Amino acid sequence: EGLQTGITLWMEELDSLYQQWAALRPEYAQQITAHQEAFMDYYRAQLAVWNAQYGSPSMAALEKAMEMLADHCSELCIILSGAI
């Protein structure tokens, strides 16, 4: 339950970061939305692989999912800060 809550919070943060990015760069809103959709497709595919590998539901799969979301949020923070 705790990990699932963490995943939900990271997904909300991820959505917020994409919204901020699109607001900062409205001329790229379509590309940013496409980027978000592509990441979510990749996330769902990776989660399916982890669930098949570790069993569903499993702590290992949930931990990997939360780590993936946290890492992506960190990457978006770098983009939003103008570091790249």
Side-chain angles (χ1 to χ4, degrees), residues 35-52:
H35 186 276
Q36 182 177 12
E37 291 170 357
F39 173 78
M40 292 309 298
D41 287 345
Y42 174 65
Y43 169 78
R44 284 187 288 274
Q46 192 62 53
L47 187 57
V49 168
W50 291 326
N51 282 329

Side-chain angles (χ1 to χ4, degrees), residues 18 29 33 49 71:
Y18 274 110
T33 298
V49 168
D71 288 348

Side-chain angles (χ1 to χ4, degrees), residues 67-84:
E67 182 179 334
M68 182 179 185
L69 292 169
D71 288 348
H72 196 59
C73 283
S74 295
E75 293 166 358
L76 289 177
C77 285
I78 291 168
I79 290 169
L80 289 171
S81 72
I84 54 173

